[in-house]
Amino acid sequence: QVQLVESGGGSVQAGGSLRLSCVASGDTYGRCMGWFRQAPGKEREGVASFDSRRSRQTYAESVKGRFTISKDNVKKTVYLQMNSLGPEDTAMYYCAAGKLIYSVYQSPCSTSQNDYSVWGQGTQVTVSS
């Protein structure tokens, strides 16, 4: 029911910025939304998550203070603002939709892949030094 399409990737020099967008064709209200990335030779890692019910964000330690995840419910779009980019940020970035938050007793959204079930096709980010 939900499909995700990422955009905004590209090539930038170290210290530059990019903003990734993820447009959902279905309803993602109340669901965990996240950004993940996978670099060559490395496992996919969680970058950021957004808990729509609680308006709460979490980040990987490697991107704290540099990346910001946000969501526009009207446009059904999730964003990832990336600042102070470095070569270590080079990866394919994926948007994901996960579990529905229906109870205050549920665990908050996290950057774990186990919380997500719908994935976009990815957008490439390349940072040169």
Side-chain angles (χ1 to χ4, degrees), residues 27-32 51-53 71 99-102:
D27 185 15
T28 59
Y29 180 77
R31 295 186 179 275
C32 295
D51 188 326
S52 297
R53 296 286 188 181
K71 184 181 181 183
K99 64 181 182 182
L100 177 67
I101 304 298
Y102 60 88

Side-chain angles (χ1 to χ4, degrees), residues 53-72:
R53 296 286 188 181
R54 303 180 176 93
S55 296
R56 183 180 300 172
Q57 307 89 45
T58 61
Y59 300 93
E61 287 295 325
S62 60
V63 306
K64 282 185 177 179
R66 300 189 297 121
F67 290 11
T68 302
I69 186 172
S70 61
K71 184 181 181 183
D72 187 325

Side-chain angles (χ1 to χ4, degrees), residues 44-104:
R44 183 177 297 183
E45 64 172 336
V47 175
S49 70
F50 188 90
D51 188 326
S52 297
R53 296 286 188 181
R54 303 180 176 93
S55 296
R56 183 180 300 172
Q57 307 89 45
T58 61
Y59 300 93
E61 287 295 325
S62 60
V63 306
K64 282 185 177 179
R66 300 189 297 121
F67 290 11
T68 302
I69 186 172
S70 61
K71 184 181 181 183
D72 187 325
N73 288 323
V74 176
K75 296 181 178 180
K76 296 196 293 184
T77 302
V78 179
Y79 304 96
L80 184 67
Q81 179 66 47
M82 306 184 294
N83 299 324
S84 301
L85 288 166
E88 67 275 11
D89 297 311
T90 295
M92 183 72 74
Y93 283 72
Y94 299 91
C95 177
K99 64 181 182 182
L100 177 67
I101 304 298
Y102 60 88
S103 172
V104 297

